[in-house]
Amino acid sequence: MSAAAQARPEERAGARPAPRAGARAGKLAAGAAAGAVRVFLVLAALFWLMPTLGLLISSFLSPTDLNKGGWWQALTAPTRLTADNYERLLANDTITGALLSTVAIAVPATLLVVALGSLAGYAFAWLEFPGRDWLFLVVVGLLVVPVQVALIPVSELFGAIGLFETTAGVVLFHTAFGLPFAVFLLRNFFAEIPRELLEAARLDGAGELRLFARVVLPLGGPAIASLGIFQFLWVWNDMLVALVFADSANPPITVALQQQVRQFGNNIDVLAPGAFLSMIVPLVVFFAFQRQFVTGVMAGAVK
């Protein structure tokens, strides 16, 4: 009995390493799989960013070097990189004026869409008025209307009232086509606010405007920031509307870069630095509101 009792702990002790070895093998396999996934994601990101990286390097190469070979020549001869393309571009009054014109269009169009969309979203979410649901369906239906359909009739309208080829006309066009998405997004976000919170504010004597400013807007900050980023990027990068409605003597940056294209040649020494110059402001806006943007996207996904 004593020998058997002594043998059992040894058998148990000898049986313990097997699960440990299996668990260790499982951890190694999981770590290898996670490492393989990371390597794949890094390679996919590098592959995805390769055209952008090539365009960035090309913007620092002279036209002579660009005609001799591709952008990869700078990897073996980094001394060929120069900032002359950016200096010539910034010395061009057309480009600098186009940047100011783009700001004059993008900022008002974004602020108007955010302000009007917030008010309309709150009204559709929490105010009772006749035909509210049917009117909201009309707003949702406007989301599928393409911009190209409105170019000719709006051009005739702006020509009749004197807004054609003006900054105000471009701002109004972007505001009109940005509002349906803004109302749809903010209405759905505001509708998730607890009714008890709004009722408590009303019992404390808050009117609708004060309730909207003190309760709804702070809670809807992430969604409003996300909407502002989307609208600003869309207006800043737009070329079709600007090409049709903007002032040809003072066009936005997208149209100004298109006008700089030469009749012969690829003109990469102008387009490459111009593309990255026009990317600076959207990148600053995105990273400035990155936290609110991610919060708004995650909140929308959870809801």
Side-chain angles (χ1 to χ4, degrees), residues 43-238:
L43 293 177
L46 291 176
F47 181 78
W48 184 267
L49 293 175
M50 190 64 68
T52 305
L53 178 62
L55 189 64
L56 175 62
I57 296 177
S58 299
S59 67
F60 287 98
L61 291 174
S62 64
T64 304
D65 291 332
L66 287 171
N67 292 328
K68 290 180 180 179
W71 59 267
W72 49 86
Q73 60 184 311
L75 300 178
T76 57
T79 56
R80 295 183 179 182
L81 298 178
T82 177
D84 293 341
N85 293 338
Y86 286 94
E87 293 179 0
R88 286 195 298 268
L89 198 67
L90 291 175
N92 191 332
D93 294 336
T94 302
I95 298 300
T96 54
L99 287 173
L100 297 177
S101 178
T102 308
V103 172
I105 293 173
V107 172
T110 303
L111 294 178
L112 284 174
V113 167
V114 170
L116 297 178
S118 300
L119 291 170
Y122 173 73
F124 280 116
W126 293 108
L127 297 183
E128 298 288 343
F129 55 90
R132 183 188 67 173
D133 295 337
W134 288 103
L135 186 58
F136 183 70
L137 289 177
V138 172
V139 173
V140 174
L142 292 176
L143 290 172
V144 302
V145 177
V147 175
Q148 294 82 356
V149 173
L151 292 179
I152 295 179
V154 175
S155 297
E156 296 178 354
L157 175 62
F158 282 178
I161 62 179
L163 289 178
F164 192 74
E165 288 197 350
T166 62
T167 300
V170 183
V171 171
L172 289 177
F173 191 95
H174 282 302
T175 302
F177 272 85
L179 276 176
F181 175 73
V183 174
F184 174 76
L185 175 68
L186 295 180
R187 182 264 178 192
N188 292 338
F189 193 92
F190 292 160
E192 298 295 331
I193 297 176
R195 181 181 295 272
E196 294 78 8
L197 183 62
L198 301 180
E199 293 297 334
R202 289 191 177 98
L203 290 176
D204 290 338
E208 295 300 333
L209 290 179
R210 187 176 181 182
L211 180 63
F212 173 75
R214 297 292 183 88
V215 178
V216 176
L217 283 184
L219 293 176
I224 294 173
S226 301
L227 172 64
I229 291 175
F230 279 126
Q231 177 68 11
F232 184 86
L233 295 181
W234 180 55
V235 176
W236 184 275
N237 295 320
D238 169 74

